[in-house]
Amino acid sequence: MDTLLRQIPKVDDLLRLPALNTLAAEAGNSAMTEAVRRTLDRLRADILVGTVTELPSTEALCAQISASCRASRLPSLRGVINATGIVLHTNLGRACLSDRALVAAREVSQGYSTLEYDLTAGERGQRYAHVEPLLCRLTGAEAAMVVNNNAAAVLLILSALTAGGEVITSRGELVEIGGSFRMPDVMAACGAVLREVGSTNKTRLSDYANAISEQTRALLKVHTSNYRIVGFTESVSPAALAELGRSRSIPVIEDLGSGCLVDLAPLGLRDEPTVQASVKAGVDVLSFSGDKLLGGPQAGIIVGKRHYIDLLKRHPLARALRVDKLTLAALEATLQAYADGTALQEIPVLSMLAQTPEELRQRAESLCRRMGEIGVTAEVVSTENPVGGGAVPTQTLPSFAVAVAPRDSAAALETQLRQRPVPIIVRIAHDRCLLDMRTLFPADLDEILQAFRETAS
């Protein structure tokens, strides 16, 4: 061991090798020096634990250094190929933006923009104006605004409308979303007092009515978008709650979560409420996400009665939670697709959900044939996938995937695919790696085939 350790090349000697000169000129001397040190440190550690018993050749060592240098220069936040079949994969960034949204974001970011400038009046304008008319037109609401995510939207609404008072909510709707974001904790942070009514599985309109007091500031309904209570259950509809609120002059707030603007039943997804239905039911203030079923950028969208939306716009938190020009541009373009009637064709989330099993099977068979042509053992299998992102829980969509039988283990192949410059994220089932067609773009297939060519060589 001591002999091996003494034989490890010096950093300066390796940096002078011609094999590293080209990459050093491209990456810079500092990056190359760090790559050499990382590689030697790893080699030294492997020798000490006994996993390396002889030094690699100079050629092999240079290859390791080059790979380390290139890997260190890759951005941490970068695109991946989602082969999991989960359309709204939270860890992979949820909704993919449409081409129209990407163009809009790029155009406003390359120069100056009308972010807060009214071209008609020639004076300062409001950033909400870029999306408010579209949101009102699409949902039927009187007014609208946008903050940076739906959690922020709920925080703003409760802070502006309920601080210092009580908020009446069903026990069955005290949700927790990702990151331990719990509705009771949000209320406490906003200075409101939670008043739970009903039971976990049953809440009636009379439970809300009997709990109303002089301290009541709002009635809150939360769509359980990431779970379902089934069986012996009862809940109050938005329309019934809105009628109660009107009769007592108390605002009704609804957190819709996923934020769906189209009926998903024709796509095989049931019981997902639309924003338009809640607005029509008379709910005063609604909030929902922009990057879930809407298919746009991350945003918290708030729509409702003008009186309440105006209060939210003037609240000090509104500035802290406001969105930037890229988000607004992408959101406006996404909403315009709905207004144009082309959302199912343009917006990736909807077009992915709309793919039929037969279309997916044909695509899987095509990829499987191409896999076979490069010597990869694979077959087409049927799958069932959740939508993801906390949307339409307990429901899955039928799909098809290409199942690849690895030479060694599925875990080893999954790691290889995940650690590529363009990572490929797969699922493992029955010791095979699954490439689900629902979330694969046509442009992904060549990269996938190239990856398997390299792993097979």
Side-chain angles (χ1 to χ4, degrees), residues 256-408:
L256 268 176
S258 300
C260 191
L261 292 185
V262 296
D263 182 9
L264 297 180
L267 307 184
L269 297 169
R270 305 169 306 281
D271 304 322
E272 182 65 26
T274 64
V275 178
Q276 297 93 319
S278 287
V279 172
K280 187 176 181 179
V283 175
D284 296 294
V285 183
L286 302 91
S287 72
F288 53 96
S289 295
D291 60 344
K292 292 186 178 180
L293 292 174
L294 182 73
Q298 176 181 298
I301 301 170
I302 306 172
V303 301
K305 304 291 176 59
R306 186 173 303 281
H307 167 68
Y308 296 112
I309 301 299
D310 286 345
L311 289 175
L312 301 184
K313 288 178 180 178
R314 293 195 297 267
H315 194 274
L317 269 180
R319 182 175 180 85
L321 303 176
R322 70 183 185 180
V323 291
D324 70 341
K325 59 188 177 184
L326 276 75
T327 300
L328 284 169
L331 180 59
E332 181 183 13
T334 302
L335 295 172
Q336 190 61 57
Y338 283 94
D340 293 344
T342 57
L344 277 174
Q345 295 75 39
E346 280 195 61
I347 297 175
V349 167
L350 297 180
S351 61
M352 286 178 180
L353 294 177
Q355 293 176 99
T356 66
E358 179 58 23
E359 290 171 335
L360 294 166
R361 183 184 63 79
Q362 291 179 6
R363 292 182 60 207
E365 289 176 348
S366 175
L367 178 59
C368 194
R369 282 194 300 271
R370 297 176 69 183
M371 287 282 202
E373 291 169 0
I374 61 173
V376 176
T377 302
E379 68 171 321
V380 174
V381 297
S382 61
T383 59
E384 293 281 337
N385 301 318
V387 173
V392 285
T394 73
Q395 297 186 55
T396 59
L397 288 172
S399 183
F400 284 88
V402 174
V404 179
R407 290 180 175 178
D408 300 319

Side-chain angles (χ1 to χ4, degrees), residues 392-432:
V392 285
T394 73
Q395 297 186 55
T396 59
L397 288 172
S399 183
F400 284 88
V402 174
V404 179
R407 290 180 175 178
D408 300 319
S409 71
L413 178 57
E414 183 273 338
T415 300
Q416 282 184 286
L417 295 172
R418 174 166 41 85
Q419 293 181 347
R420 291 177 57 78
V422 179
I424 301 172
I425 312 301
V426 301
R427 287 190 294 141
I428 296 177
H430 306 294
D431 202 35
R432 295 187 296 181

Side-chain angles (χ1 to χ4, degrees), residues 115-172:
L115 178 61
E116 288 190 352
Y117 187 75
D118 186 330
L119 291 172
T120 302
E123 59 187 30
R124 181 172 182 169
Q126 281 197 351
R127 62 181 62 203
Y128 307 119
H130 302 293
V131 294
E132 186 171 18
L134 275 169
L135 284 168
C136 293
R137 175 183 167 188
L138 291 169
T139 66
E142 294 178 5
M145 66 179 296
V146 182
V147 291
N148 52 29
N149 62 22
N150 190 46
V154 173
L155 181 70
L156 175 61
I157 292 168
L158 294 177
S159 296
L161 303 184
T162 70
E166 292 183 348
V167 180
I168 301 176
T169 310
S170 167
R171 282 191 176 88

